[in-house]
Amino acid sequence: MDDFNEQLPGAEAYENIEIQHFGSRLNDFYLATRRSDGVRVLLKHVQRTEDATRELSGLKRIGLSPHVVRLLGEHPSALGETVIALEYLPHGDLRSWMDARKDEGRPRDTAAVVAIVRSMLRAVAACHARGVVHCDISPRNFLIKSVAEPSVVLADFGCSIVSSDSATHHAVGNVGTLWYMAPETLFGSKHYGPEVDVFGVGCIAAELLRDRPLFDGSSQLDQICKLVETLGTPDESSWPELATLSDWSLLEFPERTPKSAQEIFPDVDVAGDPTLAGLVELVLDGMLTYNPAARPSAAGCLQRLERILERTNDK
């Protein structure tokens, strides 16, 4: 057994352990075979106890779900490190799927885009129904479950928050992946609600439609500027809590009106495709709403998407 295998908590329960090259600065990933039954699993070596606690709490609260990566085991160590065993999905993550489609010059597949957006909403809705806010929605954290009929499952719950008695959660810091952060997070809110996940899904849906990110800021300030340039300047009339957010009070922006759907999605034929038109409206007028209190829930977005598809199929 290699040296890293000997140091890996719980390594004795696995064989054929191979390091995978998509880890983060804080976590390493290994592909392995479980000795007890020969099942291939992904081992996530979490260095920080608090990250492991959040991930395990979220996954255990959700339980078995076809829309969330399955928890197969946990191996804590006396040093505070934890190895989390997860189901292995060989098709990679949504970011890789999106990049491959772009690199190969494949045309937009409306059915695939809609299927993935529906799948993301199902995953987020399943989490919220069990009191779990993911807090780090991004293409890297959705794993491809099926390629033939595209679907994804949600993974990486290291930033998640679990609550049984409130829909609003105290922030654990400015967490998330910058390009997919909700405006309340960027503007310094001290609480996170499930609405942050909905905004993240909206950003990914827009990226799937555009073949490029909608808000690709290079810093937190640049990210805010890109939000304002695209969605217009928020104000207290539509978002009363805006003035209470610490970072918003430090900023001043010229008055901007929202860009039109045609400006944001110049290559999307909303006039000729009612499904795309409905999805664009759901993204811009629903998921990407500034005010989290006015942003529809994941379940509500899913219902709207289903109605769009029903109307399209009836024609």
Side-chain angles (χ1 to χ4, degrees), residues 227-250:
L227 281 175
V228 172
E229 288 169 4
T230 302
L231 302 180
T233 308
D235 57 55
E236 294 176 46
S237 63
S238 59
W239 187 359
E241 291 76 20
L242 185 60
T244 67
L245 303 184
S246 58
D247 291 352
W248 174 254
S249 62
L250 303 175

Side-chain angles (χ1 to χ4, degrees), residues 39-288:
V39 170
R40 294 292 270 170
V41 302
L42 187 68
L43 302 178
K44 182 177 182 179
H45 186 195
V46 184
Q47 307 288 342
R48 303 196 309 185
T49 302
E50 57 268 32
D51 292 343
T53 299
R54 280 195 294 270
E55 179 134 18
L56 290 168
S57 296
L59 289 172
K60 288 177 180 178
R61 169 64 66 84
I62 294 164
L64 290 177
S65 169
H67 311 298
V68 175
V69 68
R70 282 188 296 152
L71 174 65
L72 301 178
E74 57 183 289
H75 306 280
S77 78
L79 299 177
E81 303 174 24
T82 304
V83 164
I84 300 174
L86 303 164
E87 71 171 313
Y88 172 57
L89 297 166
H91 301 300
D93 58 40
L94 182 56
R95 167 56 63 205
S96 299
W97 184 91
M98 295 162 73
D99 290 345
R101 187 182 70 168
K102 185 176 179 180
D103 292 344
E104 294 168 9
R106 282 180 277 170
R108 182 186 302 106
D109 182 340
T110 299
V113 170
V114 171
I116 289 174
V117 174
R118 176 197 271 166
S119 186
M120 289 191 294
L121 288 171
R122 285 173 172 167
V124 172
C127 295
H128 296 171
R130 292 163 176 80
V132 178
V133 182
H134 187 275
C135 295
D136 190 13
I137 295 296
S138 78
R140 287 287 182 204
N141 291 335
F142 282 105
L143 305 179
I144 300 295
K145 182 177 183 179
S146 171
V147 175
E149 296 181 3
S151 64
V152 297
V153 298
L154 187 54
D156 197 346
F157 284 75
C159 295
S160 66
I161 302 173
V162 177
S163 176
S164 59
D165 55 6
S166 174
T168 303
H169 312 267
H170 288 289
V172 292
N174 197 9
V175 298
T177 301
L178 183 64
W179 291 359
Y180 310 95
M181 280 186 181
E184 60 268 32
T185 304
L186 291 166
F187 293 148
S189 174
K190 300 303 181 185
H191 300 86
Y192 296 149
E195 302 85 7
V196 299
D197 293 344
V198 174
F199 193 92
V201 172
C203 292
I204 300 174
E207 187 171 347
L208 287 165
L209 290 165
R210 288 161 45 91
D211 290 323
R212 60 187 185 279
L214 183 57
F215 310 117
D216 54 350
S218 58
S219 66
Q220 184 169 332
L221 179 58
D222 188 42
Q223 187 72 8
I224 292 172
C225 290
K226 290 185 183 299
L227 281 175
V228 172
E229 288 169 4
T230 302
L231 302 180
T233 308
D235 57 55
E236 294 176 46
S237 63
S238 59
W239 187 359
E241 291 76 20
L242 185 60
T244 67
L245 303 184
S246 58
D247 291 352
W248 174 254
S249 62
L250 303 175
L251 303 170
E252 289 187 16
F253 291 99
E255 190 66 30
R256 289 182 178 271
T257 57
K259 288 184 177 180
S260 67
Q262 187 60 45
E263 289 177 292
I264 297 173
F265 303 105
D267 300 322
V268 176
D269 181 15
V270 293
D273 190 327
T275 300
L276 286 178
L279 181 55
V280 165
E281 182 179 2
L282 174 59
V283 170
L284 295 182
D285 297 333
M287 290 187 261
L288 298 185

